[in-house]
Coordinates of all heavy atoms in Angstrom, one line a residue:
G132 N 0.8 -1.2 0.0 CA -0.1 0.0 0.0 C 0.9 1.3 0.0 O 2.1 1.2 0.0
H133 N 0.2 2.4 0.0 CA 0.9 3.6 0.0 C 0.1 4.7 0.7 O -1.1 4.5 0.9 CB 1.4 4.0 -1.3 CG 0.2 4.6 -2.2 ND1 -0.7 3.8 -2.8 CD2 -0.1 5.9 -2.5 CE1 -1.6 4.6 -3.4 NE2 -1.3 5.8 -3.3
F134 N 0.7 5.8 1.0 CA 0.0 7.1 1.4 C 0.8 8.3 1.0 O 2.0 8.2 0.8 CB -0.4 7.1 2.9 CG 0.7 7.3 3.9 CD1 1.1 8.7 4.2 CD2 1.4 6.3 4.4 CE1 2.1 8.9 5.1 CE2 2.5 6.5 5.2 CZ 2.8 7.9 5.6
V135 N 0.1 9.4 0.9 CA 0.8 10.7 0.5 C 0.7 11.7 1.6 O -0.5 11.7 2.1 CB 0.2 11.1 -0.9 CG1 0.8 12.5 -1.3 CG2 0.2 10.2 -2.0
Y136 N 1.7 12.4 1.8 CA 1.7 13.5 2.8 C 2.0 14.8 2.0 O 2.9 14.9 1.3 CB 2.8 13.3 3.8 CG 2.8 14.4 4.9 CD1 2.0 14.5 6.0 CD2 3.7 15.4 4.7 CE1 2.1 15.4 6.8 CE2 3.8 16.5 5.6 CZ 2.9 16.5 6.7 OH 2.9 17.5 7.7
V137 N 1.1 15.8 2.2 CA 1.2 17.0 1.5 C 1.1 18.2 2.5 O 0.4 18.1 3.4 CB 0.0 17.2 0.4 CG1 0.1 18.6 -0.2 CG2 0.1 16.1 -0.6
S138 N 2.0 19.3 2.3 CA 1.9 20.4 3.2 C 2.5 21.6 2.4 O 3.3 21.5 1.7 CB 2.8 20.1 4.4 OG 3.0 21.3 5.2
D139 N 1.8 22.7 2.7 CA 2.3 24.0 2.1 C 3.1 24.8 3.1 O 3.7 25.9 2.8 CB 1.0 24.9 1.7 CG 0.3 24.3 0.7 OD1 0.9 24.0 -0.4 OD2 -1.0 24.3 0.6
K140 N 3.4 24.2 4.3 CA 4.3 24.9 5.2 C 5.8 24.4 4.9 O 6.1 23.3 4.4 CB 3.9 24.5 6.7 CG 2.6 24.9 7.0 CD 2.3 24.8 8.5 CE 1.0 25.4 8.9 NZ 0.1 24.5 9.5
K141 N 6.7 25.2 5.4 CA 8.1 24.9 5.4 C 8.4 23.8 6.4 O 7.7 23.7 7.4 CB 9.0 26.0 5.5 CG 9.0 27.0 4.3 CD 10.1 28.1 4.5 CE 10.0 28.9 3.2 NZ 10.7 30.2 3.3
M142 N 9.3 22.9 6.0 CA 9.6 21.8 6.9 C 11.1 22.0 7.5 O 11.9 22.6 6.9 CB 9.6 20.5 6.2 CG 8.2 20.3 5.4 SD 6.8 20.0 6.4 CE 7.0 18.3 6.8
D143 N 11.4 21.3 8.7 CA 12.6 21.3 9.3 C 13.4 20.1 8.6 O 13.1 18.9 8.9 CB 12.6 21.1 10.8 CG 13.9 21.2 11.4 OD1 14.8 20.4 11.0 OD2 14.0 21.8 12.5
L144 N 14.4 20.3 7.8 CA 15.1 19.3 7.0 C 15.8 18.2 8.0 O 15.6 17.0 7.8 CB 16.1 19.8 6.2 CG 16.8 18.9 5.2 CD1 15.9 18.2 4.3 CD2 17.8 19.7 4.3
E145 N 16.4 18.7 9.0 CA 17.0 17.7 10.0 C 16.0 16.9 10.6 O 16.3 15.6 10.7 CB 17.8 18.5 11.0 CG 19.1 19.0 10.5 CD 20.0 19.6 11.6 OE1 19.9 19.3 12.7 OE2 20.9 20.5 11.3
K146 N 14.9 17.3 11.0 CA 13.8 16.4 11.6 C 13.4 15.4 10.6 O 13.2 14.3 10.9 CB 12.7 17.3 12.2 CG 13.0 18.0 13.5 CD 11.7 18.7 13.9 CE 12.0 19.5 15.2 NZ 10.8 20.3 15.7
I147 N 13.1 15.9 9.3 CA 12.7 15.1 8.3 C 13.7 13.9 8.1 O 13.3 12.7 8.0 CB 12.5 15.8 6.9 CG1 11.4 16.7 7.1 CG2 12.3 14.8 5.8 CD1 10.1 16.4 6.3
M148 N 15.0 14.3 8.1 CA 16.1 13.2 7.9 C 16.0 12.2 8.9 O 16.2 11.0 8.7 CB 17.4 13.9 7.7 CG 17.5 14.6 6.4 SD 19.0 15.6 5.9 CE 20.2 15.3 7.2
S149 N 15.7 12.6 10.2 CA 15.8 11.7 11.3 C 14.5 10.7 11.2 O 14.6 9.6 11.6 CB 15.8 12.4 12.7 OG 14.5 13.0 12.9
I150 N 13.4 11.2 10.7 CA 12.2 10.3 10.4 C 12.7 9.3 9.4 O 12.4 8.1 9.6 CB 11.0 11.2 9.9 CG1 10.5 12.1 11.0 CG2 9.9 10.2 9.3 CD1 9.5 13.0 10.5
F151 N 13.3 9.6 8.3 CA 13.7 8.7 7.3 C 14.7 7.6 7.8 O 14.7 6.5 7.5 CB 14.3 9.4 6.1 CG 13.3 9.8 5.1 CD1 12.6 11.1 5.3 CD2 12.9 9.0 4.1 CE1 11.7 11.5 4.4 CE2 11.9 9.5 3.2 CZ 11.3 10.6 3.4
D152 N 15.6 8.2 8.8 CA 16.6 7.2 9.4 C 15.9 6.2 10.3 O 16.4 5.1 10.5 CB 17.5 8.0 10.3 CG 18.6 8.7 9.6 OD1 18.8 8.4 8.4 OD2 19.2 9.6 10.1
E153 N 14.7 6.4 10.8 CA 14.0 5.5 11.7 C 12.8 4.8 11.0 O 12.1 4.2 11.8 CB 13.5 6.3 12.9 CG 14.6 6.9 13.7 CD 14.1 8.0 14.7 OE1 12.9 8.2 14.8 OE2 15.0 8.6 15.3
L154 N 12.7 4.9 9.7 CA 11.5 4.2 9.1 C 11.6 2.8 9.3 O 12.6 2.2 9.3 CB 11.4 4.5 7.6 CG 11.0 5.9 7.1 CD1 11.1 6.1 5.6 CD2 9.5 6.1 7.6
P155 N 10.5 2.0 9.6 CA 10.4 0.6 9.8 C 10.8 -0.1 8.5 O 10.5 0.4 7.4 CB 9.0 0.3 10.2 CG 8.2 1.6 10.0 CD 9.1 2.7 9.8
N156 N 11.2 -1.3 8.6 CA 11.7 -2.1 7.5 C 10.5 -2.4 6.5 O 10.7 -2.7 5.3 CB 12.2 -3.5 7.9 CG 13.6 -3.3 8.6 OD1 14.3 -2.4 8.4 ND2 13.9 -4.3 9.5
D157 N 9.2 -2.3 6.9 CA 8.1 -2.5 6.0 C 8.0 -1.4 5.1 O 7.3 -1.6 4.1 CB 6.8 -2.6 6.9 CG 6.6 -4.0 7.4 OD1 7.4 -5.0 7.1 OD2 5.6 -4.2 8.2
I158 N 8.6 -0.2 5.4 CA 8.5 0.9 4.3 C 9.6 0.7 3.4 O 10.8 0.8 3.7 CB 8.6 2.3 5.0 CG1 7.6 2.5 6.1 CG2 8.6 3.4 4.0 CD1 6.1 2.4 5.8
I159 N 9.3 0.3 2.1 CA 10.2 -0.1 1.1 C 10.7 1.2 0.4 O 11.9 1.2 0.0 CB 9.6 -1.0 0.1 CG1 9.1 -2.3 0.9 CG2 10.5 -1.4 -1.1 CD1 8.2 -3.3 0.2
R160 N 9.8 2.1 0.1 CA 10.1 3.2 -0.7 C 9.4 4.5 -0.3 O 8.4 4.5 0.2 CB 9.7 2.9 -2.1 CG 10.1 3.9 -3.2 CD 11.0 3.4 -4.1 NE 11.2 4.1 -5.2 CZ 11.9 5.2 -5.4 NH1 12.5 5.7 -4.4 NH2 12.0 5.9 -6.5
A161 N 10.1 5.6 -0.4 CA 9.5 6.9 -0.1 C 10.2 7.9 -0.9 O 11.4 7.7 -1.1 CB 9.6 7.3 1.4
K162 N 9.4 8.8 -1.5 CA 10.1 9.8 -2.3 C 9.2 11.0 -2.4 O 8.0 11.0 -2.0 CB 10.4 9.3 -3.7 CG 9.2 8.9 -4.6 CD 9.6 8.3 -5.9 CE 10.4 9.2 -6.7 NZ 10.8 8.8 -8.0
G163 N 9.8 12.1 -2.9 CA 8.9 13.3 -3.0 C 9.8 14.6 -2.7 O 11.0 14.6 -2.7
F164 N 9.0 15.7 -2.5 CA 9.6 16.9 -2.4 C 9.4 17.6 -1.1 O 8.3 17.3 -0.4 CB 9.0 17.9 -3.5 CG 9.0 17.3 -4.8 CD1 7.7 16.9 -5.4 CD2 10.1 17.2 -5.6 CE1 7.8 16.5 -6.7 CE2 10.1 16.7 -6.8 CZ 8.9 16.3 -7.4
V165 N 10.4 18.3 -0.6 CA 10.3 18.9 0.7 C 10.7 20.4 0.6 O 11.8 20.7 0.0 CB 11.2 18.3 1.8 CG1 11.2 18.9 3.1 CG2 10.7 16.8 2.1
I166 N 9.9 21.3 1.1 CA 10.3 22.7 1.1 C 10.8 23.1 2.5 O 10.2 22.8 3.5 CB 9.1 23.6 0.9 CG1 8.3 23.2 -0.4 CG2 9.5 25.1 0.8 CD1 9.2 23.1 -1.7
T167 N 12.0 23.7 2.6 CA 12.7 24.0 3.9 C 13.1 25.4 3.9 O 13.1 26.1 2.9 CB 13.9 23.1 4.1 OG1 14.9 23.5 3.3 CG2 13.5 21.6 3.9
E168 N 13.6 25.9 5.1 CA 14.2 27.2 5.1 C 15.5 27.3 4.3 O 15.9 28.3 3.7 CB 14.7 27.5 6.5 CG 13.5 27.6 7.5 CD 12.7 29.0 7.4 OE1 13.5 30.0 7.1 OE2 11.5 29.0 7.4
E169 N 16.1 26.2 4.0 CA 17.4 26.1 3.3 C 17.1 26.0 1.7 O 18.0 25.9 1.0 CB 18.2 24.9 3.7 CG 18.8 25.0 5.1 CD 17.9 24.5 6.2 OE1 16.8 23.9 5.8 OE2 18.1 24.8 7.3
G170 N 15.8 25.8 1.3 CA 15.5 25.6 0.0 C 14.6 24.3 -0.2 O 14.0 23.9 0.8
S171 N 14.4 24.0 -1.5 CA 13.5 22.8 -1.7 C 14.4 21.7 -2.2 O 15.4 21.9 -3.0 CB 12.4 23.2 -2.7 OG 12.9 23.7 -3.9
F172 N 13.9 20.4 -1.9 CA 14.7 19.3 -2.2 C 13.8 18.0 -2.7 O 12.6 18.0 -2.4 CB 15.4 18.7 -0.9 CG 16.3 19.7 -0.3 CD1 15.9 20.7 0.6 CD2 17.7 19.7 -0.7 CE1 16.8 21.6 1.1 CE2 18.6 20.7 -0.2 CZ 18.1 21.6 0.7
L173 N 14.5 17.2 -3.5 CA 13.9 16.0 -3.9 C 14.5 14.9 -3.0 O 15.6 14.8 -2.9 CB 14.3 15.6 -5.4 CG 14.0 14.3 -5.9 CD1 12.4 14.0 -5.9 CD2 14.5 14.1 -7.2
L174 N 13.6 14.2 -2.3 CA 14.1 13.1 -1.3 C 13.8 11.7 -1.9 O 12.8 11.6 -2.6 CB 13.3 13.2 0.0 CG 13.3 14.5 0.8 CD1 12.5 14.3 2.1 CD2 14.6 15.0 1.0
N175 N 14.7 10.8 -1.7 CA 14.6 9.6 -2.3 C 15.0 8.5 -1.2 O 16.1 8.5 -0.7 CB 15.4 9.4 -3.5 CG 15.1 8.3 -4.4 OD1 13.9 7.8 -4.3 ND2 16.0 7.9 -5.2
Y176 N 14.2 7.5 -0.8 CA 14.4 6.5 0.1 C 14.1 5.1 -0.5 O 13.0 4.9 -0.9 CB 13.6 6.8 1.4 CG 13.7 5.7 2.5 CD1 14.6 5.7 3.5 CD2 12.8 4.6 2.4 CE1 14.7 4.7 4.5 CE2 12.9 3.6 3.3 CZ 13.7 3.7 4.4 OH 13.9 2.7 5.3
V177 N 15.1 4.2 -0.5 CA 14.8 3.0 -1.0 C 15.5 1.9 -0.1 O 16.7 2.0 0.1 CB 15.4 2.7 -2.4 CG1 15.1 1.4 -3.0 CG2 14.9 3.8 -3.4
F178 N 14.8 1.0 0.5 CA 15.3 -0.1 1.3 C 16.4 0.4 2.3 O 17.5 -0.1 2.3 CB 15.9 -1.2 0.4 CG 14.9 -2.1 -0.4 CD1 14.8 -1.9 -1.7 CD2 14.0 -2.8 0.3 CE1 13.9 -2.6 -2.5 CE2 13.0 -3.5 -0.5 CZ 13.0 -3.4 -1.9
G179 N 16.1 1.5 3.0 CA 17.0 1.9 4.0 C 18.0 2.9 3.6 O 18.7 3.6 4.4
R180 N 18.2 3.1 2.3 CA 19.1 4.1 1.8 C 18.4 5.4 1.6 O 17.3 5.4 0.9 CB 19.8 3.7 0.6 CG 20.8 2.5 0.8 CD 21.6 2.2 -0.5 NE 20.9 2.2 -1.7 CZ 20.2 1.1 -2.2 NH1 20.2 0.0 -1.5 NH2 19.7 1.1 -3.3
F181 N 18.9 6.5 2.0 CA 18.2 7.8 1.8 C 19.2 8.8 1.2 O 20.4 8.9 1.6 CB 17.8 8.2 3.2 CG 17.4 9.6 3.3 CD1 16.1 10.0 2.8 CD2 18.1 10.7 3.9 CE1 15.6 11.3 2.9 CE2 17.6 12.0 4.0 CZ 16.5 12.3 3.4
D182 N 18.7 9.6 0.2 CA 19.5 10.7 -0.3 C 18.5 11.8 -0.6 O 17.3 11.7 -0.8 CB 20.4 10.3 -1.3 CG 19.6 9.8 -2.6 OD1 19.0 10.7 -3.3 OD2 19.8 8.6 -2.9
Y183 N 19.1 13.0 -0.8 CA 18.3 14.1 -1.3 C 19.2 15.1 -2.1 O 20.4 15.1 -2.0 CB 17.6 14.9 -0.1 CG 18.7 15.6 0.8 CD1 19.0 16.9 0.7 CD2 19.4 14.8 1.9 CE1 19.8 17.5 1.6 CE2 20.2 15.3 2.7 CZ 20.5 16.8 2.5 OH 21.4 17.4 3.5
E184 N 18.6 15.8 -2.9 CA 19.3 16.8 -3.8 C 18.4 18.1 -4.0 O 17.1 17.9 -3.9 CB 19.6 16.2 -5.1 CG 18.4 15.7 -5.9 CD 18.8 15.0 -7.2 OE1 19.1 13.8 -7.1 OE2 18.8 15.6 -8.2
E185 N 19.0 19.2 -4.2 CA 18.2 20.4 -4.4 C 17.3 20.2 -5.7 O 17.8 19.6 -6.7 CB 19.2 21.5 -4.7 CG 19.9 22.1 -3.4 CD 20.5 23.3 -3.5 OE1 20.0 24.2 -4.2 OE2 21.7 23.5 -3.1
F186 N 16.1 20.7 -5.6 CA 15.1 20.5 -6.6 C 14.1 21.6 -6.4 O 13.7 22.0 -5.3 CB 14.5 19.1 -6.5 CG 13.7 18.8 -7.8 CD1 14.2 18.1 -8.8 CD2 12.3 19.1 -7.8 CE1 13.6 17.7 -9.9 CE2 11.6 18.8 -9.0 CZ 12.3 18.1 -10.0
D187 N 13.7 22.2 -7.6 CA 12.7 23.4 -7.4 C 11.4 22.8 -7.4 O 10.7 22.3 -8.3 CB 12.8 24.4 -8.7 CG 12.0 25.5 -8.6 OD1 11.6 26.0 -7.5 OD2 11.6 26.1 -9.7
A188 N 10.8 22.8 -6.1 CA 9.5 22.3 -5.9 C 8.6 23.4 -5.3 O 9.1 24.3 -4.6 CB 9.5 21.0 -4.9
K189 N 7.2 23.3 -5.4 CA 6.3 24.3 -5.0 C 5.7 24.0 -3.5 O 5.3 24.9 -3.0 CB 5.2 24.4 -6.0 CG 5.6 24.7 -7.4 CD 6.3 26.1 -7.5 CE 6.7 26.4 -8.9 NZ 8.1 26.6 -9.0
R190 N 5.8 22.7 -3.1 CA 5.2 22.3 -1.9 C 5.8 21.0 -1.4 O 6.4 20.3 -2.2 CB 3.7 22.3 -1.9 CG 3.2 21.2 -2.7 CD 1.7 21.2 -2.7 NE 1.2 20.0 -3.6 CZ -0.1 19.7 -3.7 NH1 -1.0 20.3 -3.0 NH2 -0.4 18.7 -4.5
T191 N 5.6 20.7 -0.1 CA 6.1 19.5 0.3 C 5.0 18.4 -0.1 O 3.8 18.6 0.1 CB 6.2 19.4 1.9 OG1 7.3 20.3 2.2 CG2 6.5 18.1 2.4
E192 N 5.5 17.3 -0.7 CA 4.6 16.2 -1.2 C 5.5 15.0 -1.2 O 6.5 14.8 -1.9 CB 4.1 16.5 -2.6 CG 3.0 15.6 -3.0 CD 2.3 16.1 -4.2 OE1 2.6 17.2 -4.7 OE2 1.4 15.3 -4.7
L193 N 5.1 14.0 -0.1 CA 5.9 12.8 0.0 C 5.0 11.6 -0.2 O 4.0 11.6 0.4 CB 6.6 12.8 1.4 CG 7.6 13.8 1.6 CD1 7.9 13.9 3.1 CD2 8.9 13.6 0.8
V194 N 5.5 10.6 -0.8 CA 4.7 9.3 -0.9 C 5.5 8.2 -0.3 O 6.7 8.1 -0.4 CB 4.7 8.9 -2.5 CG1 3.9 7.6 -2.6 CG2 4.0 9.9 -3.3
F195 N 4.9 7.5 0.6 CA 5.4 6.3 1.3 C 4.8 5.1 0.9 O 3.5 5.0 0.8 CB 5.2 6.5 2.8 CG 5.9 7.6 3.4 CD1 5.4 9.0 3.3 CD2 7.2 7.5 4.0 CE1 6.1 10.1 3.9 CE2 7.8 8.5 4.5 CZ 7.3 9.8 4.5
I196 N 5.7 4.1 0.4 CA 5.2 2.8 -0.1 C 5.7 1.6 0.7 O 6.9 1.6 1.1 CB 5.7 2.7 -1.6 CG1 5.2 3.8 -2.4 CG2 5.3 1.4 -2.2 CD1 5.9 4.1 -3.7
G197 N 4.9 0.7 1.0 CA 5.3 -0.5 1.7 C 4.3 -1.5 2.1 O 3.2 -1.4 1.8
R198 N 4.8 -2.5 2.9 CA 3.8 -3.4 3.4 C 3.3 -3.0 4.7 O 3.9 -2.2 5.4 CB 4.6 -4.8 3.8 CG 5.3 -5.4 2.5 CD 6.0 -6.6 2.8 NE 7.2 -6.4 3.5 CZ 8.5 -6.2 3.1 NH1 8.6 -6.2 1.8 NH2 9.5 -5.9 3.9
N199 N 2.0 -3.4 5.0 CA 1.4 -3.0 6.3 C 1.3 -1.4 6.5 O 1.5 -1.0 7.6 CB 2.0 -3.7 7.4 CG 2.0 -5.2 7.3 OD1 1.1 -5.8 7.0 ND2 3.3 -5.8 7.5
I200 N 1.2 -0.7 5.5 CA 1.4 0.7 5.5 C 0.4 1.3 6.5 O 0.7 2.3 7.2 CB 1.3 1.4 4.1 CG1 1.9 2.8 4.0 CG2 -0.2 1.5 3.7 CD1 3.3 2.7 3.7
G201 N -0.9 0.8 6.6 CA -1.8 1.3 7.5 C -1.4 1.3 9.0 O -1.8 2.1 9.8
K202 N -0.5 0.3 9.3 CA 0.0 0.3 10.7 C 0.9 1.4 11.1 O 1.0 1.7 12.2 CB 0.8 -1.1 10.7 CG 1.2 -1.6 12.1 CD 1.6 -3.0 12.0 CE 3.1 -3.2 12.2 NZ 3.6 -4.6 12.2
Y203 N 1.5 2.1 10.1 CA 2.5 3.1 10.2 C 2.1 4.4 9.9 O 2.7 5.5 10.3 CB 3.8 2.8 9.5 CG 4.4 1.4 9.8 CD1 4.2 0.4 8.8 CD2 5.0 1.1 11.0 CE1 4.7 -0.9 9.1 CE2 5.5 -0.2 11.2 CZ 5.3 -1.2 10.2 OH 5.8 -2.4 10.5
E204 N 1.1 4.5 9.0 CA 0.7 5.9 8.5 C 0.4 6.9 9.5 O 1.0 8.0 9.4 CB -0.5 5.7 7.6 CG -1.0 7.0 7.0 CD -2.2 6.9 6.0 OE1 -2.6 5.8 5.7 OE2 -2.6 7.9 5.5
E205 N -0.4 6.7 10.5 CA -0.7 7.7 11.5 C 0.5 8.2 12.3 O 0.7 9.5 12.4 CB -1.7 7.1 12.5 CG -2.3 8.2 13.4 CD -3.4 7.6 14.4 OE1 -4.1 6.7 14.0 OE2 -3.4 8.1 15.5
E206 N 1.4 7.4 12.6 CA 2.6 7.7 13.3 C 3.5 8.5 12.4 O 4.1 9.6 12.8 CB 3.3 6.5 13.8 CG 4.6 6.8 14.6 CD 5.4 5.6 15.0 OE1 5.0 4.4 14.7 OE2 6.5 5.8 15.5
I207 N 3.7 8.1 11.1 CA 4.6 8.9 10.2 C 4.0 10.2 10.0 O 4.7 11.2 9.9 CB 4.9 8.0 8.9 CG1 5.7 6.8 9.3 CG2 5.6 8.9 7.9 CD1 5.7 5.8 8.1
R208 N 2.7 10.3 9.7 CA 2.0 11.6 9.4 C 2.2 12.6 10.7 O 2.6 13.7 10.5 CB 0.5 11.4 9.3 CG 0.2 11.0 7.9 CD -1.4 11.0 7.6 NE -1.7 10.5 6.4 CZ -1.6 11.2 5.3 NH1 -1.3 12.4 5.3 NH2 -1.9 10.5 4.1
S209 N 2.0 12.0 11.8 CA 2.2 12.8 13.1 C 3.6 13.4 13.2 O 3.8 14.5 13.5 CB 1.6 12.1 14.2 OG 2.5 12.2 15.3
K210 N 4.6 12.5 13.0 CA 6.0 13.0 13.0 C 6.3 14.0 11.9 O 7.0 14.9 12.2 CB 7.0 11.8 12.8 CG 7.0 10.8 14.0 CD 8.0 9.7 13.7 CE 8.2 8.8 15.0 NZ 9.0 7.7 14.7
L211 N 5.7 13.8 10.7 CA 5.9 14.8 9.7 C 5.3 16.1 10.0 O 5.9 17.3 9.8 CB 5.3 14.3 8.4 CG 6.2 13.2 7.7 CD1 5.4 12.5 6.5 CD2 7.5 13.7 7.1
M212 N 4.1 16.1 10.6 CA 3.5 17.4 11.1 C 4.3 18.1 12.1 O 4.3 19.3 12.1 CB 2.0 17.1 11.6 CG 1.0 16.7 10.5 SD -0.5 16.2 11.2 CE -1.2 17.7 11.7
E213 N 5.0 17.4 12.9 CA 6.0 18.0 14.0 C 7.1 18.7 13.2 O 7.8 19.5 13.9 CB 6.4 17.0 14.9 CG 5.4 16.4 15.8 CD 5.8 15.3 16.7 OE1 7.0 15.0 16.8 OE2 5.0 14.6 17.3
C214 N 7.4 18.3 12.0 CA 8.6 18.9 11.3 C 8.2 20.3 10.6 O 9.0 21.0 10.1 CB 9.0 18.0 10.2 SG 9.7 16.5 10.7
E215 N 6.8 20.5 10.6 CA 6.4 21.8 10.0 C 6.8 23.1 10.8 O 6.7 23.0 12.0 CB 4.7 21.8 9.9 CG 4.3 20.8 8.8 CD 2.8 20.8 8.7 OE1 2.1 21.4 9.5 OE2 2.3 20.0 7.8
I216 N 7.2 24.0 10.1 CA 7.7 25.3 10.8 C 6.6 26.3 10.8 O 6.0 26.5 9.8 CB 9.0 25.9 10.1 CG1 10.0 24.8 10.1 CG2 9.4 27.1 10.7 CD1 11.3 25.1 9.3

């Protein structure tokens, strides 16, 4: 399954990176755009590997893909909301 997180607020990049560091093994893939104070970025997470690069995006929009996604969606959404500035 999958879910999408969208926000028009700026995000704290360091907090977002710590969320990606702690994603459960069931989350196989996550990607999308993040708007921060430092600029906008394309994030890419595959099987525990995470990277990001500068990218001109209009809003934060992240897709999370994995097994048992419903089990994790509420917790991940809540952590992401805490990253909003």
Side-chain angles (χ1 to χ4, degrees):
H133 77 280
F134 74 89
V135 179
Y136 179 84
V137 177
S138 175
D139 287 320
K140 297 192 170 121
K141 287 189 175 163
M142 309 290 276
D143 182 313
L144 185 59
E145 284 188 23
K146 285 185 183 176
I147 293 252
M148 289 177 5
S149 73
I150 291 171
F151 276 85
D152 282 344
E153 298 167 4
L154 283 175
N156 291 336
D157 278 349
I158 306 298
I159 297 165
R160 183 111 166 80
K162 68 183 299 182
F164 309 109
V165 174
I166 309 299
T167 73
E168 292 285 322
E169 293 85 13
S171 55
F172 299 90
L173 170 64
L174 304 186
N175 198 21
Y176 173 92
V177 184
F178 291 113
R180 290 191 315 277
F181 171 72
D182 62 69
Y183 65 98
E184 60 189 80
E185 287 190 44
F186 192 90
D187 185 24
K189 303 292 177 247
R190 66 180 181 175
T191 293
E192 191 165 357
L193 296 167
V194 180
F195 293 82
I196 302 163
R198 297 179 292 267
N199 305 310
I200 200 91
K202 191 163 110 178
Y203 307 105
E204 179 176 356
E205 190 176 324
E206 181 184 357
I207 294 171
R208 279 186 187 281
S209 138
K210 286 181 178 179
L211 287 166
M212 286 172 73
E213 290 172 14
C214 296
E215 292 179 353
I216 298 170

